[in-house]
Amino acid sequence: MSIPVPSETQRWRCAQCGNLTRFDVTRSVRSRDYLHFDLSGASRVEESEVLGETVEQVRCRWCNAVDSAELIDRPAVEADSAAESGAERA
Ligand SMILES: [Zn+2]
């Protein structure tokens, strides 16, 4: 079973309790990381690029319902400002 992921103009809503804002999301992420090693051999991630990700489970923080998240449209004003700021950064 695949879980719908919100697009730029959508958001999750818990079908059980109506929660819009708080979810625990379990996902598997495939990434490419730039590891920078120092002379002692310790490393840290200095760049990380997400190559792909899959949402495995969405749990509502309010009522604990699992995979009850449904997609709804975001309010129009919020969607517009989010799209604009996203475009300027890219
Ligand atoms: Zn809920």
Side-chain angles (χ1 to χ4, degrees), residues 14-19 22-23 59-65 68:
C14 177
Q16 303 292 317
C17 73
N19 168 31
R22 288 171 168 80
F23 299 94
R59 181 200 302 268
C60 174
R61 292 282 295 206
W62 285 5
C63 72
N64 263 340
S68 70

Side-chain angles (χ1 to χ4, degrees), residues 7-8 15 25 30 32 40 56 60 76 79 82 86:
S7 72
E8 291 282 315
V25 180
R30 184 168 171 266
R32 175 166 46 224
S40 73
E56 297 177 352
C60 174

Side-chain angles (χ1 to χ4, degrees), residues 20-34:
L20 293 169
T21 53
R22 288 171 168 80
F23 299 94
D24 279 321
V25 180
T26 304
R27 53 186 157 196
S28 57
V29 177
R30 184 168 171 266
S31 66
R32 175 166 46 224
D33 296 340
Y34 166 37

Side-chain angles (χ1 to χ4, degrees), residues 34-56:
Y34 166 37
L35 293 186
H36 185 172
F37 293 82
D38 66 19
L39 292 178
S40 73
S43 69
R44 68 179 184 196
V45 177
E46 295 204 343
E47 290 172 20
S48 182
E49 179 185 356
V50 174
L51 303 176
E53 63 182 337
T54 303
V55 174
E56 297 177 352

